[in-house]
Amino acid sequence: PNEIKPLLWVTAIQLVMSSSAIQINNFAQSAFLKRFGVQSLPTVFLAEAVITFFFSGIVGIFMERFRNVRVFTVVLLYFGGCIGIIRLLLPLKFAWIYPVLYILKSQSVAILPILYWDILSDVFTTQQSKRLFTLVTAGGVLGTTAGSLMTGRLARWLGLNNLLLIFVVGMVLAAVLNELTEKIVAAPLETRVDRRKGKLEGKFIDNVQEFLTNARQSVLLKYMILIIAIPNILLPIMDYQFNVVVDNHFTTEAATLHFFGLYRGISNAVMFIVLMVSGRIITRLGVTTSLLFHPANYFLAFGSLFLRFDIISGIYARFSTETLKTTLNNPARTVLYNFFPEKNRALIRVFLR
């Protein structure tokens, strides 16, 4: 019974984040393809990876110095503020806005889940996480489904560019809900004893060295590096191919936005259904076996694109990859973080991401 109230609260945060984030995801991708050009995506992927790596390091530093709840709130407001500024600049038609928007979109997708799931690790025990984390993920998928299916209609009601304002409002609301989490849980979350004073300079290097030390000492961490790194090396290649297929198939920005909204809405609805039973699948197969499906699927996904480079193969490749990643890989991998010492968990989570 004591689990219900915290579960519903953190799920509400997930719903708000996911339903608003999907709007910027659909808009940023459509606007980039049609207003900037798909041929520039590899360069943006490279810039995005480098910037996100250093930004993650900075977030990791603040996670070591401050409470995760407060860091999460600040990061939510940061992304909301950045997107708000970009919305104001869109009428000026600066070409550089669209790569920046794409990178910010990707950063929010990469960074916010780290902080969110780290807070959940403080709210729930390891045994609770095995039962509840798939339900929380399902809440996020439900929000993404509803938000994505509404993208086309919202664009007609508010205008394409004003979809960004939904993200801004969602980030502010998620920040407010996050600040109230400790009152709902009725207990302080993850009070830092070691809040190192002094300047931030050099702290990033210290965190890198600490992570490398942990990697040398922990066999589990070595395996997790491989589990995360190898699929994510392949994912940008598939993402680029998928975007090329979509850009070739749809001629207008409105049609592209409608496709992304419909595709993500349907695919996330399917994932929501699968997530209802994925906890039982992980329990039955075990965490290690469940982690094998996602990387193994890349053989089928790239094979289909090799044999038939069109919208059908592109949809299959992207859909199967996202479904296995969300329904099996992510929940199973999240359980593994609980086997690391609590003092190192946040740092390891950031650097693995």
Side-chain angles (χ1 to χ4, degrees), residues 12-29:
I13 298 176
Q14 176 79 295
L15 276 168
V16 171
M17 284 198 310
S18 58
S19 60
S20 56
I22 194 62
Q23 306 304 328
I24 187 180
N25 202 353
N26 291 335
F27 174 80
Q29 198 163 359

Side-chain angles (χ1 to χ4, degrees), residues 49-322:
V50 174
I51 294 172
T52 301
F53 174 78
F54 285 103
F55 187 79
S56 299
I58 294 172
V59 171
I61 291 173
F62 283 99
M63 289 172 71
E64 288 293 309
R65 292 172 59 87
F66 304 102
R67 298 167 66 246
N68 288 350
V69 171
R70 188 55 43 82
V71 175
F72 190 27
T73 298
V74 171
V75 174
L76 285 166
L77 295 177
Y78 163 77
F79 282 119
C82 289
I83 298 304
I85 293 173
I86 285 182
R87 174 61 189 92
L88 295 176
L89 294 176
L90 279 178
L92 301 178
K93 297 182 179 180
F94 294 129
W96 54 264
I97 288 178
Y98 302 106
V100 172
L101 177 61
Y102 195 96
I103 291 172
L104 281 171
K105 177 267 297 185
S106 300
Q107 279 189 334
S108 66
V109 171
I111 301 298
L112 292 178
I114 296 173
L115 296 169
Y116 176 77
W117 287 105
D118 197 61
I119 289 174
L120 260 63
S121 296
D122 297 324
V123 174
F124 301 110
T125 65
T126 302
Q127 292 299 320
Q128 288 174 321
S129 67
K130 292 180 180 180
R131 292 183 289 105
L132 301 178
F133 277 10
T134 52
L135 296 177
V136 175
T137 303
V141 172
L142 181 61
T144 302
T145 301
S148 192
L149 291 175
M150 287 292 294
T151 296
R153 186 168 298 178
L154 290 171
R156 289 192 296 271
W157 289 346
L158 305 175
L160 286 174
N161 293 344
N162 289 331
L163 289 175
L164 298 182
L165 297 179
I166 299 176
F167 177 81
V168 175
V169 173
M171 292 300 99
V172 173
L173 179 56
V176 172
L177 293 175
N178 179 63
E179 282 294 302
L180 297 174
T181 299
E182 288 182 314
K183 292 183 179 180
I184 299 300
V185 177
L189 298 180
E190 185 259 330
T191 302
R192 296 287 186 190
V193 176
D194 180 22
R195 297 186 185 182
R196 302 173 188 175
K197 305 297 182 180
K199 298 181 179 180
L200 291 178
E201 286 80 10
K203 192 69 173 64
F204 178 72
I205 301 300
D206 294 340
N207 281 328
V208 173
Q209 292 175 345
E210 182 179 348
F211 176 79
L212 293 176
T213 300
N214 289 327
R216 286 193 293 267
Q217 297 174 349
S218 173
V219 176
L220 174 61
L221 184 51
K222 291 186 178 73
Y223 282 119
M224 288 195 69
I225 292 172
L226 293 176
I227 289 171
I228 293 175
I230 294 175
N232 280 285
I233 291 172
L234 300 175
L235 189 59
I237 301 173
M238 177 178 294
D239 196 22
Y240 175 68
Q241 292 178 317
F242 176 69
N243 278 279
V244 170
V245 167
V246 172
D247 187 55
N248 290 339
H249 190 80
F250 299 98
T251 56
T252 66
E253 182 179 350
T256 305
L257 180 67
H258 178 72
F259 165 75
F260 281 130
L262 190 62
Y263 162 76
R264 290 194 170 106
I266 294 174
S267 63
N268 279 282
V270 174
M271 283 188 277
F272 176 76
I273 296 173
V274 176
L275 278 167
M276 293 296 98
V277 296
S278 66
R280 296 180 180 179
I281 295 174
I282 294 172
T283 301
R284 184 176 181 84
L285 298 179
V287 172
T288 53
T289 303
S290 300
L291 288 170
L292 292 175
F293 286 91
H294 174 56
N297 178 66
Y298 277 107
F299 289 101
L300 296 175
F302 280 109
S304 65
L305 286 169
F306 177 77
L307 295 174
R308 182 175 175 175
F309 195 75
D310 59 10
I311 192 69
I312 302 299
S313 295
I315 290 174
Y316 164 74
R318 187 68 175 172
F319 171 76
S320 61
T321 301
E322 289 181 340

